[in-house]
Amino acid sequence: LEECLRREAERVSHQENLMNRVVYDCIDPSPYNPSADPTVASEFYVPQKPDDYTLVFESRFESGNLRRAIQVYEFEYDLILKPDYNTRGCTQWYFFRVSNTLPGKVYRFNIINL
């Protein structure tokens, strides 16, 4: 709990360090890949350089429920999940794919609406 409070205080007090970059959205078109055919599911974010280790998310498959991923810091992401069907906005699980990871690196996923 202490670590969570410290990190949240850092976020609020040092907003200039936040990246706040949308790296995945299952509905909106990608600004990173404007030439992509909108009728075909292509990656939302494509790494720009060989040393670009931004995670690549995907959930446009059966039972996938990631709505949006926002890169907050280099190795930290805020995730927003789609609500479960036939509920009043409840979300009890998550299912998505992540690629372009660095071996041995620790990533932090903050699921905002779980």
Side-chain angles (χ1 to χ4, degrees):
L1 180 63
E2 211 171 283
E3 173 69 15
C4 289
L5 291 174
R6 185 190 64 75
R7 290 185 64 77
E8 187 61 29
E10 180 183 322
R11 254 190 188 189
V12 171
S13 63
H14 298 289
Q15 293 185 5
E16 67 277 2
N17 296 335
L18 294 175
M19 295 174 79
N20 280 338
R21 180 170 64 148
V22 176
V23 294
Y24 177 77
D25 194 303
C26 71
I27 297 172
D28 295 336
S30 172
Y32 305 105
N33 196 2
S35 63
D37 182 355
T39 61
V40 177
S42 60
E43 289 181 340
F44 185 87
Y45 181 82
V46 178
Q48 307 298 310
K49 302 178 280 187
D51 62 341
D52 181 357
Y53 295 110
T54 302
L55 295 183
V56 176
F57 292 85
E58 185 57 70
S59 74
R60 291 172 291 181
F61 47 80
E62 187 174 349
S63 299
N65 71 337
L66 179 63
R67 167 63 169 90
R68 178 176 283 166
I70 302 161
Q71 186 176 18
V72 181
Y73 295 111
E74 187 175 8
F75 299 105
E76 183 173 349
Y77 295 81
D78 285 349
L79 307 180
I80 300 170
L81 305 178
K82 293 188 284 187
D84 296 344
Y85 291 107
N86 299 319
T87 69
R88 293 185 177 159
C90 297
T91 305
Q92 298 182 8
W93 53 279
Y94 52 89
F95 187 40
F96 55 89
R97 181 178 68 230
V98 178
S99 60
N100 201 36
T101 59
L102 279 173
K105 193 65 188 165
V106 176
Y107 294 90
R108 180 182 293 266
F109 294 156
N110 306 308
I111 300 178
I112 304 299
N113 61 336
L114 185 61

